[in-house]
């Protein structure tokens, strides 16, 4: 049994006081949820304050990015050790906005995934095709390249602890959601790849999230898919009402 994860990616939103307020309301409203793991990923500047709010709750803290080195002369970057230090359990890696706007490639993602594991962070590794790639029938090829390169340096044991997020780029922030069939086809394929890389037992244990315009109305259908083990939620995670409804799908 894979415990579902509902993770909120707040992106570059929320000042510290706003983040604290949102985290507090989410904590108060989801306190009794035990059958799902809830993860909040505020911006770096709010991690410490949100961690304090979450101290006495099962809600986990995640970051949205990190550097691949643990320390050094990388002006402006944040290291995985710093994320551990502030109390993060998870880190989102290879988000399509990082790939699209900051030139993050599969080999950069690979280095980050490697360091996340050696630092004790659980990476939520994002993969997904663009609209032109889907229209050209290249979805599975793109996913294969992202999964095989991005996760290539992990051992079988590490592989088991991984979280993958299938996020079709055309569905992120657009209001267009993948149909349950589209999500299931991609996620079943990702699990098959994970099986080839880490063995069937590990592949069965790995949580594969769907992400892309999740809202309270579409979460149940997506979660009814066999290979959808949770959601990475962007826009709808910024509002307490919609996020709590998604958690309680
Ligand atoms: C995301 O950024 O990971 C995401 C899925 O965003 P949204 O839910 O807004 O599409």
């Amino acid at each position: 049994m894979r415990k579902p994860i509902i993770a909120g990616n707040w992106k570059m939103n929320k000042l510290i006081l706003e983040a604290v307020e949102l985290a507090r309301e989410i904590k108060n409203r989801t306190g009794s949820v035990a059958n799902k793991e809830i993860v909040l990923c505020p911006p770096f500047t709010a991690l410490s304050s949100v961690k304090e709010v979450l101290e006495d709750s099962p809600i986990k803290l995640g970051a949205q990015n990190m550097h691949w080195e643990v320390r050094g002369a990388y002006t402006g970057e944040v290291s995985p050790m710093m994320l551990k230090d502030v109390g993060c359990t998870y880190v989102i890696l290879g988000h399509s906005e990082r790939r699209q706007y900051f030139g993050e490639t599969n080999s950069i993602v690979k280095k980050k995934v490697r360091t996340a594991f050696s630092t004790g962070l659980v990476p939520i590794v994002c993969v997904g095709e663009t609209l032109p790639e889907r229209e050209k029938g290249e979805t599975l090829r793109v996913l294969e390249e992202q999964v095989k390169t991005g996760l290539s340096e992990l051992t079988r044991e590490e592989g088991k602890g991984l979280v993958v997020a299938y996020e079709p780029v055309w569905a992120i922030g657009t209001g267009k959601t993948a149909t349950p069939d589209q999500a299931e086809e991609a996620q079943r394929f990702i699990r098959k790849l994970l099986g080839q890389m880490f063995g069937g037992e590990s592949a069965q244990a790995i949580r594969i999230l769907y992400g892309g315009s999740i809202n309270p109305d579409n979460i149940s259908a997506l979660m009814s898919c066999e290979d959808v083990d949770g959601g990475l939620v962007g826009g709808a995670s910024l509002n307490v009402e919609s996020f709590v409804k998604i958690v309680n799908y």
Side-chain angles (χ1 to χ4, degrees):
M1 274 300 282
R2 298 182 290 265
K3 188 170 187 176
I5 297 179
I6 303 292
N9 173 14
W10 295 359
K11 309 196 187 192
M12 198 173 71
N13 295 293
K14 303 293 177 191
L15 302 179
I16 295 171
L17 285 180
E18 296 167 333
V20 163
E21 180 63 23
L22 180 56
R24 192 173 288 134
E25 286 191 57
I26 291 172
K27 182 176 88 165
N28 292 343
R29 303 265 305 267
T30 60
S32 54
V33 175
N35 57 349
K36 288 156 208 150
E37 214 175 314
I38 303 170
V39 182
L40 301 183
C41 305
F44 289 134
T45 49
L47 284 171
S48 176
S49 311
V50 169
K51 178 64 190 171
E52 275 178 38
V53 174
L54 302 182
E55 213 57 81
D56 55 349
S57 100
I59 301 177
K60 307 261 173 49
L61 189 69
Q64 301 170 18
N65 181 35
M66 59 171 226
H67 195 267
W68 60 81
E69 293 289 347
V70 289
R71 69 174 68 76
Y74 298 99
T75 302
E77 290 293 323
V78 173
S79 99
M81 271 203 338
M82 294 167 183
L83 299 182
K84 276 296 281 185
D85 190 39
V86 78
C88 287
T89 303
Y90 288 95
V91 59
I92 299 172
L93 295 179
H95 190 281
S96 67
E97 286 152 14
R98 304 272 344 145
R99 295 177 189 260
Q100 198 179 340
Y101 305 130
F102 303 100
E104 222 166 275
T105 60
N106 288 331
S107 21
I108 293 177
V109 174
K110 170 173 73 179
K111 290 201 274 185
K112 292 186 174 189
V113 170
R114 183 57 267 149
T115 322
F117 268 103
S118 36
T119 320
L121 290 164
V122 180
I124 301 175
V125 183
C126 302
V127 296
E129 79 289 359
T130 62
L131 188 58
E133 287 164 346
R134 174 162 282 270
E135 286 173 346
K136 278 187 266 165
E138 292 178 350
T139 298
L140 301 187
R141 181 194 62 73
V142 169
L143 293 178
E144 182 160 359
E145 202 175 305
Q146 291 172 333
V147 168
K148 286 202 167 158
T149 308
L151 308 179
S152 59
E153 290 196 357
L154 299 183
T155 63
R156 281 185 166 223
E157 200 45 41
E158 286 170 333
K160 201 185 278 184
L162 190 66
V163 178
V164 177
Y166 169 58
E167 297 210 302
V169 180
W170 48 270
I172 297 182
T174 58
K176 287 187 203 143
T177 318
T179 63
D181 284 350
Q182 286 172 323
E184 177 57 23
E185 183 199 19
Q187 301 196 195
R188 189 186 312 127
F189 177 71
I190 292 169
R191 199 176 306 284
K192 191 178 96 186
L193 294 174
L194 296 171
Q196 291 164 6
M197 296 174 76
F198 306 117
E201 194 191 320
S202 295
Q204 282 309 315
I206 295 172
R207 267 96 50 98
I208 306 178
L209 316 183
Y210 166 80
S213 297
I214 290 181
N215 62 45
D217 298 326
N218 59 30
I219 182 72
S220 297
L222 289 160
M223 287 304 296
S224 67
C225 300
E226 199 180 318
D227 288 292
V228 177
D229 306 315
L232 182 52
V233 187
S237 72
L238 295 171
N239 175 280
V240 66
E241 296 302 329
S242 54
F243 189 68
V244 168
K245 279 188 191 151
I246 291 167
V247 168
N248 292 319
Y249 67 86

